Amino acid sequence: MSEGGSGGARRARGGTAGSRGTHARGRAADPAERDAAQRAGGAEDADAGAAPTGPPADRGDAPGDADATHTADSTAGGDGTDPPAAGEPPGADPPAADPPAAADPPGTTDPPGATGSPGSGDPIDYAALFAAVPVACLVLDRRLRIVAVNEAYLAVTGRDREELIGRAFFDAYPSDPDDLSANGAHTQRRSLEAAFASGEPSLLMLHRFAIPRADASGQFESRWWNVVNQPVTGRSGRVELVIHKVEDVTAFVDSVRRTEPAETTAAEVPQVDVFNQAKELQRANARLLESTAAINDTALVLQQAMLATPDLSGHPEIAVRYRPAMQGLNACGDWYDVVDLPEGRLVLTVGDVVGHGVGAASVMGMLRSALNAAVRVADGPSGALEALGLYSRAHDGALATTTFACQVFPASRLLTYSNAGHPPPVLVHEDGSYEFLDRATDPPLGVRVEHVPRPQATLEYACGDLLVLYTDGLVERRGEDIDVGIGRLTDVLCELRADPVQELADALLARLADPSGQHDDISVLAARL
């Protein structure tokens, strides 16, 4: 790859060197406009909380779902993602929010953005629509609690709505204590966790599942179901809900089992073959779910260990966040780091290894550790990146990695930095102006044919300024120039510049992650200087 290759051209963007953000997106929002926008947003959130396709009332983490959106924060847990609104047609203006009717069951009121029925101009009654779906469905939140259920599901199971809404799924459907060999609940849990963790539908064919009898006798009856667990993602790309659809095939299974081999007709043989093949496929799918869950758990532990930042605990003015891509394992190549130096100096770094998965995560761990050591002994950030560039040539997976290193001098209020092809960090001032740290940008690691010293620049800052480092997953969207995403970032930073850094970091993920689904992992480091 030639010097200044595609990696550097794509990532090393920014405005005029050292510009103070005098263009429109650098100005702070008018307070009156901001208050009006917040009131409008609150109304939408209130509506969205009741929709069957919206988020649950309490968005915790599904047990064992590998926490696809874990927050790597030493002082504040959770990623603070705002509840996503229900589906809204592109370009449509949201109508005024109407209060839900008193008769509507929990989790089944109209979502915001509902369009009128064809030719009538009246809003669609989504509660009635969900209730009338002829397929048995219920909706689960990330804690596997039931937040909505339709009439078909109640008819199939013989349960009342009041028995189910608000309960944990496996409290409503516990394992049969008299059948210790049955693993239907365990398989069902793994399937639900896989849907939350992967963002992909999880299927269970001819799944044997014991449910409590409708007569409240405390006894259980076995059912055979075909199950589809369909994930529903929010605006941030995180799976917020799963639609649990069941088809009761108990009658078919019982009829096949009652048929003696000598009495089986030629017409029934294909049905028996399909039944046996489906059972074998179900067993194979269960083994695959177990294996996938174990790999996801291992990858998550690996990622968390490699992003450990011991020096962060002494800096409440710094917030860090990490969110993996929705696809694949919960391990990727983005990193952040905080390193304490003598005399109160501080080094902040961020980086992005090409690729995803455990391979990229392992390379990230090596580069992050090498840079952590280099900044402690090198003569400034540029020297540290020079050493890291030489080190990267020894590892194929490290080539074209982008990274940024900045040394903070609190006594003189100076920032000294060097950039290896990474998107430019943003320094936001208290008056709402901002500037990019883009005056010392060089190609990514290992792409130069010959070793050349890397540039370094120095910038003054004022007490209270906000410095934000990030990876490209925060600002890139498919089919869109990265400068558009950087513009969104500076708009949000100027609007929220006075917020505490922990709340600010959460808001960046909630407002800037790709609403169509997060295709790249994200690292964010926000520091109040």
Side-chain angles (χ1 to χ4, degrees):
M1 184 179 299
S2 63
E3 175 178 329
S6 59
R10 178 173 66 85
R11 300 173 186 269
R13 308 290 179 94
T16 304
S19 60
R20 301 283 296 186
T22 56
H23 41 338
R25 71 186 188 201
R27 295 193 300 270
D30 180 78
E33 294 176 354
R34 178 178 173 184
D35 291 343
Q38 289 175 339
R39 288 194 296 272
E44 286 189 5
D45 287 346
D47 244 1
T53 56
D58 184 357
R59 299 181 308 283
D61 289 329
D65 69 350
D67 191 12
T69 56
H70 77 279
T71 297
D73 180 8
S74 65
T75 58
D79 64 8
T81 305
D82 290 338
E88 179 174 295
D93 293 327
D98 295 323
D104 287 339
T108 57
T109 53
D110 294 353
T115 57
S117 55
S120 68
D122 296 329
I124 293 176
D125 187 345
Y126 280 93
L129 182 64
F130 179 67
V133 171
V135 179
C137 298
L138 58 76
V139 181
L140 301 169
D141 67 13
R142 293 187 62 83
R143 289 186 183 271
L144 300 185
R145 292 185 307 179
I146 302 169
V147 297
V149 59
N150 70 354
E151 297 297 334
Y153 188 91
L154 299 176
V156 166
T157 59
R159 307 292 290 272
D160 293 330
R161 188 183 306 278
E162 292 73 18
E163 295 180 73
L164 301 177
I165 295 296
R167 294 188 67 186
F169 182 82
F170 292 101
D171 288 343
Y173 294 105
S175 299
D176 184 355
D178 297 328
D179 187 2
L180 299 180
S181 63
N183 64 350
H186 177 73
T187 303
Q188 186 74 264
R189 181 184 293 274
R190 282 297 189 184
S191 177
L192 290 166
E193 291 172 353
F196 274 108
S198 68
E200 298 291 338
S202 180
L203 280 65
L204 297 174
M205 302 302 295
L206 292 175
H207 173 58
R208 181 173 176 266
F209 191 50
I211 67 173
R213 297 180 64 90
D215 57 11
S217 63
Q219 301 298 313
F220 286 74
E221 58 178 322
S222 290
R223 297 288 187 90
W224 289 88
W225 285 349
N226 290 337
V227 180
V228 178
N229 290 313
Q230 175 67 47
V232 180
T233 58
R235 287 178 176 172
S236 66
R238 185 174 83 158
V239 177
E240 299 290 353
L241 304 170
V242 162
I243 300 174
H244 176 72
K245 186 193 81 171
V246 301
E247 178 187 6
D248 194 325
V249 293
T250 306
F252 166 72
V253 174
D254 289 344
S255 68
V256 172
R257 288 184 161 181
R258 284 195 302 267
T259 303
E260 295 295 332
E263 301 173 356
T264 302
T265 65
E268 292 170 331
V269 169
Q271 291 184 344
V272 177
D273 288 343
V274 169
F275 173 66
N276 291 330
Q277 292 172 12
K279 287 200 299 183
E280 182 57 34
L281 179 62
Q282 174 60 42
R283 286 192 288 268
N285 186 55
R287 292 193 296 270
L288 180 61
L289 287 174
E290 294 276 356
S291 176
T292 300
I295 293 173
N296 270 323
D297 291 345
T298 301
L300 179 60
V301 172
L302 173 67
Q303 186 81 34
Q304 289 175 328
M306 288 191 296
L307 286 177
T309 311
D311 290 344
L312 181 63
S313 60
H315 295 280
E317 76 281 7
I318 299 176
V320 294
R321 298 290 185 271
Y322 173 77
R323 179 181 291 177
M326 287 300 299
Q327 302 297 323
L329 301 175
N330 292 317
C332 296
D334 286 16
W335 85 80
Y336 52 76
D337 203 2
V338 177
V339 183
D340 282 328
L341 296 180
E343 302 173 354
R345 291 173 295 141
L346 181 69
V347 173
L348 310 175
T349 74
V350 66
D352 185 0
V353 173
V354 176
H356 299 281
V358 175
S362 63
V363 174
M364 176 274 290
M366 292 188 296
L367 293 179
R368 182 177 186 264
S369 297
L371 183 57
N372 184 292
V375 297
R376 298 175 187 272
V377 297
D379 185 17
S382 61
L385 293 190
E386 284 183 39
L388 189 65
L390 295 173
Y391 177 77
S392 69
R393 295 185 182 184
H395 302 277
D396 291 340
L399 295 180
T401 293
T402 69
T403 184
F404 176 91
C406 174
Q407 188 170 164
V408 183
F409 296 85
S412 56
R413 293 182 182 174
L414 292 176
L415 303 175
T416 299
Y417 64 90
S418 186
N419 190 337
H422 201 77
V426 186
L427 180 66
V428 184
H429 304 290
E430 288 188 314
D431 62 0
S433 62
Y434 62 88
E435 50 195 312
F436 296 110
L437 277 63
D438 59 359
R439 293 183 296 164
T441 300
D442 222 27
L445 301 180
V447 303
R448 289 188 184 276
V449 177
E450 297 179 357
H451 173 68
V452 177
R454 290 188 176 270
Q456 182 169 289
T458 299
L459 179 68
E460 293 183 0
Y461 69 88
C463 184
D465 283 355
L466 176 68
L467 177 63
V468 176
L469 285 60
Y470 57 94
T471 56
D472 57 6
L474 187 68
V475 294
E476 278 191 334
R477 295 183 185 177
R478 290 182 177 179
E480 179 183 89
D481 191 275
I482 191 174
D483 289 334
V484 177
I486 292 176
R488 277 192 300 269
L489 170 63
T490 55
D491 288 344
V492 173
L493 290 178
C494 290
E495 176 187 346
L496 306 180
R497 64 188 183 277
D499 288 2
V501 288
Q502 304 296 341
E503 296 178 13
L504 173 72
D506 291 336
L508 290 177
L509 291 180
R511 295 178 58 170
L512 296 178
D514 191 345
S516 66
Q518 187 181 316
H519 305 290
D520 197 4
D521 47 335
I522 298 173
S523 285
V524 175
L525 187 156
R528 181 75 64 187
L529 301 175

